[in-house]
Amino acid sequence: MEYLLIFISAIFVNNIILSQFLGICPFLGVSKKIDTALGMGMAVAFVMTLSTVVTWLIQIYVLNPFGLQYLQTLAFILVIASLVQMVEIVLKKVSPALYQALGIFLPLITTNCAVLGVAILVIQKDFDLIQSVVYAFSTAVGFALALTVFAGIREQLELTRIPKGMKGMAIVMVTAGLLSLAFMGFSGVDGGLASLFGLN
């Protein structure tokens, strides 16, 4: 039940983009088409889950025993950068079309604060390895969900008559704010489930 709570909380209640405001750059940049948003979501899911596992192991078995916690951010960034390079090479071979569609945003996963944020959050929350994997994957699903829903809305906006003063980034920001408000409706769901199953 604990893993289910982590899963629901990370996707809906504490959505990495819409509640914690991490990963805004790809959210605004790659959300023009659903296909690109899904591809970016999958790439982030892979990198986020794998990097969380590797960074957790580094934190527990290297940084903590040797008193090198102050190197956490630097070590985590190096791990994430290496994993992004690996994803980039694989995508170039397996799906050149997706690789071209993602363009500059694929290397931007390296500096995506959502990926680094999750790696640091699992350490701060004192999660074990399985909880860390569940949290990272759930957060990536929440990231992909927000990105895909936003891309769908933006595709619909292209077919809508928008007042001249609201065209471009203005309507995008208003839409992002409304979507964030919609996700705020899920606040308290995790607490309710925890009470229901006696996990409080």
Side-chain angles (χ1 to χ4, degrees):
M1 250 14 271
E2 185 184 350
Y3 300 125
L4 180 63
L5 282 176
I6 291 172
F7 189 77
I8 291 170
S9 176
I11 294 174
F12 299 108
V13 182
N14 297 315
N15 187 283
I16 196 81
I17 296 175
L18 301 172
S19 295
Q20 299 182 52
F21 307 110
L22 295 172
I24 298 293
C25 177
F27 179 66
L28 296 175
V30 193
S31 58
K32 290 180 182 173
K33 293 190 176 181
I34 291 177
D35 295 343
T36 313
L38 280 171
M40 183 68 166
M42 288 189 297
V44 167
F46 176 74
V47 171
M48 194 177 281
T49 307
L50 195 57
S51 66
T52 300
V53 172
V54 176
T55 53
W56 187 90
L57 292 170
I58 288 171
Q59 180 74 37
I60 300 302
Y61 295 108
V62 178
L63 301 181
N64 288 353
F66 295 103
L68 299 172
Q69 291 91 339
Y70 61 91
L71 291 175
Q72 182 190 65
T73 305
L74 183 63
F76 286 11
I77 288 172
L78 289 172
V79 167
I80 292 164
S82 304
L83 288 171
V84 169
Q85 288 300 315
M86 190 175 76
V87 170
E88 200 170 350
I89 291 165
V90 169
L91 270 182
K92 204 170 186 179
K93 297 268 186 192
V94 175
S95 179
L98 181 58
Y99 176 78
Q100 289 294 328
L102 291 174
I104 188 68
F105 294 102
L106 190 59
L108 281 179
I109 296 176
T110 309
T111 54
N112 186 345
C113 52
V115 179
L116 179 62
V118 168
I120 292 171
L121 278 171
V122 296
I123 303 300
Q124 288 178 349
K125 291 176 184 279
D126 205 25
F127 283 159
D128 62 30
L129 185 58
I130 297 170
Q131 288 173 326
S132 298
V133 171
V134 171
Y135 180 76
F137 180 74
S138 306
T139 302
V141 170
F143 181 91
L145 176 69
L147 203 62
T148 308
V149 169
F150 193 55
I153 293 170
R154 284 184 75 175
E155 280 189 2
Q156 287 299 312
L157 284 173
E158 293 293 321
L159 308 172
T160 309
R161 290 180 66 189
I162 300 167
K164 193 176 180 183
M166 290 296 290
K167 284 186 178 177
M169 196 49 74
I171 192 69
V172 170
M173 298 304 276
V174 169
T175 306
L178 291 172
L179 190 59
S180 183
L181 282 172
F183 268 72
M184 281 180 69
F186 292 109
S187 61
V189 170
D190 55 342
L193 285 172
S195 298
L196 182 66
F197 294 106
L199 295 173
N200 277 345

